[in-house]
Amino acid sequence: MSTTDGGRLTTHVLDTASGKPAAGLSISLFKVSGNSHRKVKTVVTNSDGRCDEPLLAGHAFQAGQYELVFSAGAYFRATGLALPEPMFLDEVPIRFGMSEEKHYHVPLLISPYGYSTYRGS
């Protein structure tokens, strides 16, 4: 089965403070069920701020509740920005549901002091 069949989950991260893709940012994906979080995988963004493969695709894709945790603090520390400790944003969790076998794209626009997300295409 190719990643264009059935459902798939993708993401990318843009650093709005620098106006560039957030390369080298660690992202953990969790399957959420009630109070339980089961880690599915951890990936690191490439030079384009994207993952090299979908986070879920094919047989691995299942409807349900998920959470992406973006390690924004570690990313911003690695850029050398002078930031206060504790940082305003460190780990950024985004919890969302997938109810259909479709493409779900969950991008993150991030700066040291704010973020936004949306369901992309």
Side-chain angles (χ1 to χ4, degrees):
M1 175 182 261
S2 77
T3 57
T4 58
D5 297 332
R8 68 181 184 196
L9 172 63
T10 59
T11 188
H12 76 273
V13 186
L14 298 175
D15 178 343
T16 58
S18 71
K20 297 179 182 174
L25 190 145
S26 179
I27 305 165
S28 293
L29 172 65
F30 295 86
K31 173 89 165 123
V32 179
S33 180
N35 290 328
S36 169
H37 283 64
R38 180 181 55 83
K39 186 183 280 190
V40 176
K41 68 171 50 174
T42 299
V43 298
V44 176
T45 58
N46 61 24
S47 62
D48 197 32
R50 298 179 182 277
C51 303
D52 291 330
E53 299 177 348
L55 296 169
L56 294 173
H59 296 295
F61 183 93
Q62 296 177 358
Q65 187 120 28
Y66 291 85
E67 187 169 273
L68 287 169
V69 179
F70 298 85
S71 296
Y75 164 78
F76 284 119
R77 284 182 197 95
T79 67
L81 280 176
L83 296 168
E85 284 294 336
M87 295 179 64
F88 181 68
L89 293 176
D90 191 3
E91 291 190 340
V92 175
I94 299 174
R95 188 175 293 187
F96 57 97
M98 298 188 301
S99 59
E100 304 173 277
E101 282 200 23
K102 295 195 177 215
H103 181 194
Y104 288 81
H105 184 66
V106 183
L108 181 68
L109 307 175
I110 189 82
S111 82
Y113 297 99
Y115 67 92
S116 68
T117 190
Y118 54 94
R119 181 174 176 191
S121 59

